[in-house]
Amino acid sequence: MKPLDSFTITEAVLESMDRCPDARLRSVMASLVRHLHDFAREVKLTEDEWWRGIRFLTDAGHITDDKRQEFILLSDVLGLSTLVMAQNNSKPAGCTEATVFGPFFVEGAPMIEHGADIANGAKGAPCFVQGRVTGADGEPVAHALVDVWQADEEGFYDVQKPDPSLSEHRARAQLRTDADGRCHFRSIVAHEYPIPHDGPVGAMLDSLGRHPWRPAHLHFMIQAEGYERLITHVFRRGGPYLESDAVFGVRPSLIADWERHESDDPAKPPVYYTLDYDFVLNRSTPSAD
Ligand code: BEZ
Ligand code: FE
């Protein structure tokens, strides 16, 4: 048996996985061990720092439940979510870029008709949103399923602020594009907000001199037969934090104007915003079977 020291330990761990029958698992774990050991050697990790790391992960586990996912937040603020998303979602020029999913999507939001108000009691200035979904050749994508969700003017998603006196789903909905690929709905204007920062990830950001804020945005997930699913946001031009998004989600092509309007027309709100944004989906490659 070879004596184990701070160098031979790496080989010993790699050898221990030699009989793993899953080749992909073996190669991912071997790479993880190599990088982890190299990291510990490079920074000369102390025992005290190792303990602090263990406590951090323990705290992240304790605060995580079915509504709060501290490990995704950790991945987001370290840029890992953006890296993994980017290397798995490269699209031809002209297609709408994808960005991070975030933790606030809810399966099965209410299905609405075009023009309906999705705010459902969420506070914020009215905003009329319209968009068109096409393929890369300009063909309309009819009957695409569009999920939309956003925070209110105080920076909270409905799931962060359950209120029995209000509808469960606020500022989120699903709708289908029409035959020309178009859809429109009423919502509230998007505002910047901090990611949940009352846990270990917030404390880490603080220690690093980083802020927890995200620029104002509206989330979209668009699914249609024959096309790749698109998960993205549209960001509000001119707002704060576009250059320093806590989760590295901003792409210049996803920044759009929320136009402000004032009106004397009694049929319209006295002050409202409009957002007009079109989406281009990438065709999915037919599977071999
Ligand atoms: C969001 O945009 O909803 C989000 C994304 C990443 C972390 C936290 C929130
Ligand atoms: Fe968000």
Side-chain angles (χ1 to χ4, degrees), residues 54-267:
I54 297 292
R55 267 199 302 274
F56 176 87
L57 292 174
T58 307
D59 291 345
H62 284 158
I63 204 170
T64 294
D65 60 20
D66 59 341
K67 299 234 158 51
R68 171 78 179 254
Q69 233 303 354
E70 199 73 359
F71 292 100
I72 295 184
L73 274 189
L74 178 61
S75 162
D76 291 341
V77 302
L78 294 180
L80 181 64
S81 308
T82 285
L83 186 160
V84 172
M85 188 276 306
Q87 74 180 359
N88 287 287
N89 285 276
S90 68
K91 295 179 194 299
C95 290
T96 304
E97 288 186 270
T99 189
V100 290
F101 198 31
F104 299 125
F105 171 74
V106 170
E107 200 88 50
M111 182 65 77
I112 58 150
E113 295 300 323
H114 286 182
D117 187 352
I118 72 167
N120 259 338
K123 285 198 204 119
C127 179
F128 297 89
V129 181
Q130 60 175 341
R132 185 165 184 244
V133 182
T134 64
D137 295 328
E139 74 280 14
V141 180
H143 213 58
L145 179 62
V146 179
D147 264 281
V148 54
W149 66 105
Q150 69 167 107
D152 66 13
E153 68 177 10
E154 289 165 358
F156 293 107
Y157 287 80
D158 52 3
V159 285
Q160 294 176 284
K161 250 192 344 186
D163 182 341
S165 70
L166 292 174
S167 151
E168 184 190 350
H169 297 106
R170 300 187 299 281
R172 71 172 72 241
Q174 296 185 300
L175 64 167
R176 294 257 177 204
T177 55
D178 67 14
D180 195 31
R182 294 180 193 280
C183 66
H184 67 283
F185 58 90
R186 176 177 165 157
S187 188
I188 50 176
V189 74
H191 277 272
E192 60 276 12
Y193 65 84
I195 62 168
H197 57 112
D198 55 343
V201 169
M204 183 189 83
L205 290 178
D206 207 36
S207 309
L208 293 172
R210 285 178 56 184
H211 68 71
W213 288 85
R214 297 216 63 206
H217 59 270
L218 187 51
H219 291 256
F220 287 89
M221 176 162 77
I222 305 180
Q223 303 176 81
E225 184 124 8
Y227 294 88
E228 288 176 4
R229 180 174 74 172
L230 173 67
I231 292 172
T232 196
H233 319 347
V234 182
F235 293 91
R236 186 170 164 193
R237 194 185 317 280
Y241 310 114
L242 283 167
E243 298 288 338
S244 65
D245 181 1
V247 303
F248 307 96
V250 181
R251 305 283 169 278
S253 67
L254 299 176
I255 300 174
D257 293 307
W258 263 249
E259 278 182 33
R260 187 176 185 278
H261 307 263
E262 291 183 14
S263 167
D264 297 332
D265 181 347

